[in-house]
Amino acid sequence: QPIIRGLELLEIEPEDIIAVGDHENDVLAANAAGIKAALCGWSCTPELATQHSQITLKSPSQLEKLCRK
């Protein structure tokens, strides 16, 4: 619920944000809040990189490109 509360306080809609994390719990929390999740694939196991997230980033430079979209 903290993610949902944060969105409410900032007046941001879930479809307007992407959560970025490096752990399964980060992705699960984002999914529970209705937020698209991007997993930092360079800092997690290969098994995790193929599960749960809508986006798997392979390098920090991909995160920069994602933010510019």
Side-chain angles (χ1 to χ4, degrees), residues 18-63:
I18 298 174
V20 179
D22 64 352
H23 191 273
E24 179 180 17
N25 290 339
D26 300 327
V27 176
L28 293 175
N31 290 340
I35 298 172
K36 195 179 287 186
L39 184 67
C40 299
W42 66 87
S43 66
C44 67
T45 64
E47 296 80 24
L48 180 59
T50 60
Q51 300 175 22
H52 305 295
S53 66
Q54 291 84 11
I55 303 165
T56 299
L57 304 169
K58 295 180 182 177
S59 70
S61 64
Q62 285 186 311
L63 177 58

